[in-house]
């Protein structure tokens, strides 16, 4: 079995003000890379992209290279710690339930008019198409420590409360007031309380290739926290997941999720992480096929 990983952590962004920077994402990438060594990964087979290294071109290039080299029996890991946001659907594209596409910010994220430039963010559709190319018999595990929804657009009070607790949501609203108004207008046209709850599920659907297993930092209607543990910045999900993995490396993925939930509740985080994948995958351990 060959092992390969791409770990991305972005605290600083080329075109964003420092007030929008994060603190724990680079630590997330470094910590996950270190933890993977106990599962047979090496520095030669693990690509870590931090801050300015993590442009969209570089991230998609690293992911594409890893996927194209994959063979049945291989173990692949992708981790991404950064801001999440949304952009309006492209004309002619398959409609999202709330009229907005979920995307993840790269180092070079920038404005295009009143919205974020699609050439500087990675959409869930792009990841889905790439993951479909992983061959059957390979194991792909994905760790997303970022918001995967735009519900923060209407929950500014929740975001402000998190800030008072020393926690920063990993979510970017549209870059201008006009863009924010447009996003809100699009949401208002959707059915009441519409949340794209299937977006993460779509990433793990089986096509012709392998079916990924995906841990997400929070539910689609929540925000992921950039937090501090014993004076050191980390994503809340990443810190608690790696703690569980260290304490019980042979536990099932479902057991790790349960431990993460217990930690989030104990630390008074509102977010609750999710685990997407086949039922048998949830009952197997991290790094294990089913």
């Amino acid at each position: 079995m060959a092992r390969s990983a791409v770990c991305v952590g972005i605290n600083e962004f080329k075109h964003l003000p420092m007030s929008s920077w994060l603190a724990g994402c680079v630590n997330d990438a470094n910590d996950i890379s270190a933890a993977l060594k106990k599962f047979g990964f090496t520095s030669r087979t693990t690509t870590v992209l931090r801050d300015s290294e993590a442009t969209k071109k570089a991230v998609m290039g690293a992911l594409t290279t890893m996927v194209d080299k994959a063979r049945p029996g291989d173990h692949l890991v992708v981790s991404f710690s950064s801001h999440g946001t949304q952009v309006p659907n492209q004309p002619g594209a398959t409609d999202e339930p709330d009229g907005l596409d979920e995307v993840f910010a790269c180092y070079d994220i920038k404005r295009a008019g009143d919205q974020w430039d699609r050439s500087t963010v990675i959409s869930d559709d792009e990841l889905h198409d790439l993951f479909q190319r992983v061959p059957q018999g390979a194991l792909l595990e994905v760790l997303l420590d970022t918001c995967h929804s735009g519900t923060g657009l209407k929950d500014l009070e929740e975001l402000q409360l998190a800030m008072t607790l020393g926690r920063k949501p990993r979510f970017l609203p549209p870059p201008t007031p006009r863009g924010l108004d447009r996003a809100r207008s699009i949401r208002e046209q959707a059915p009441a309380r519409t949340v794209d709850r299937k977006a993460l599920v779509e990433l793990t659907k089986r096509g012709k290739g392998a079916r990924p297993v995906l841990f997400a930092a929070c539910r689609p209607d929540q925000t992921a926290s950039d937090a501090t543990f014993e004076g050191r910045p980390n994503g809340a999900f990443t810190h608690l997941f790696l703690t569980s993995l260290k304490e019980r490396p042979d536990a099932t993925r479902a057991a790790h999720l349960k431990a993460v939930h217990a930690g989030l509740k104990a630390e008074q985080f509102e977010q609750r992480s999710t685990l997407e994948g086949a039922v048998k995958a949830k009952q197997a351990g991290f790094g294990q096929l089913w």
Side-chain angles (χ1 to χ4, degrees):
M1 175 187 289
R3 297 172 176 85
S4 184
V6 175
C7 303
V8 180
I10 312 170
N11 289 333
E12 302 177 3
F13 299 85
K14 184 176 182 179
H15 303 290
L16 298 184
M18 289 182 66
S19 59
S20 295
W21 290 6
L22 298 167
C25 296
V26 169
N27 284 342
D28 287 354
N30 290 336
D31 293 350
I32 292 170
S33 172
L36 289 176
K37 291 181 180 179
K38 295 183 179 180
F39 291 85
F41 291 76
T42 67
S43 56
R44 186 179 62 82
T45 62
T46 301
T47 299
V48 183
L49 299 175
R50 312 170 185 87
D51 289 340
S52 61
E53 300 167 338
T55 62
K56 179 174 182 179
K57 180 179 180 180
V59 173
M60 290 301 295
L63 292 175
T64 300
T65 297
M66 180 177 70
V67 167
D68 287 346
K69 289 182 177 180
R71 298 291 182 268
D74 287 358
H75 183 194
L76 313 180
V77 173
V78 174
S79 76
F80 196 95
S81 293
S82 180
H83 275 305
T85 186
Q86 289 186 312
V87 295
N89 285 343
Q90 289 182 306
T94 302
D95 287 341
E96 299 284 346
D98 57 3
L100 298 161
D101 284 335
E102 284 76 20
V103 298
F104 306 108
C106 295
Y107 169 74
D108 50 342
I109 184 173
K110 64 180 180 180
R111 287 172 49 182
D114 292 321
Q115 301 295 333
W116 298 115
D117 186 342
R118 283 180 174 270
S119 70
T120 63
V121 296
I122 298 174
S123 72
D124 53 0
D125 291 335
E126 288 177 290
L127 290 181
H128 172 269
D129 292 345
L130 183 62
F131 293 167
Q132 290 293 297
R133 289 159 51 184
V134 176
Q136 285 193 35
L139 171 60
L140 171 61
E141 303 198 78
V142 183
L143 309 173
L144 294 179
D145 202 335
T146 177
C147 295
H148 194 261
S149 173
T151 51
L153 298 176
K154 59 180 181 177
D155 296 329
L156 297 180
E157 296 82 2
E158 179 185 336
L159 304 187
Q160 292 169 348
L161 176 60
M163 295 288 281
T164 65
L165 296 173
R167 299 163 181 174
K168 194 168 190 177
R170 292 182 172 182
F171 170 76
L172 282 176
T176 66
R178 184 177 177 181
L180 181 60
D181 288 342
R182 182 184 176 193
R184 283 173 170 156
S185 176
I186 291 172
R187 278 192 171 279
E188 288 172 359
Q189 297 173 26
R193 297 187 178 182
T194 296
V195 175
D196 190 1
R197 299 182 184 279
K198 295 184 178 180
L200 292 174
V201 177
E202 292 290 332
L203 283 176
T204 63
K205 276 191 173 180
R206 184 191 297 277
K208 295 181 179 179
R211 182 172 180 179
V213 184
L214 184 148
F215 280 95
C218 60
R219 297 196 303 257
D221 57 343
Q222 298 176 326
T223 53
S225 294
D226 198 61
T228 301
F229 298 89
E230 298 181 356
R232 185 173 185 271
N234 263 125
F237 162 73
T238 297
H239 172 78
L240 294 168
F241 174 76
L242 292 182
T243 296
S244 179
L245 196 63
K246 180 179 180 180
E247 293 176 350
R248 296 188 298 163
D250 297 326
T252 66
R253 296 182 179 94
H256 288 310
L257 181 68
K258 185 176 180 179
V260 170
H261 283 179
L264 290 170
K265 185 176 181 180
E267 296 285 346
Q268 297 183 319
F269 288 94
E270 294 296 323
Q271 74 190 70
R272 293 295 180 266
S273 301
T274 64
L275 171 60
E276 305 293 347
V279 173
K280 290 183 178 180
K282 296 177 182 180
Q283 299 307 316
F286 183 81
Q288 296 181 4
L289 286 166
W290 62 93

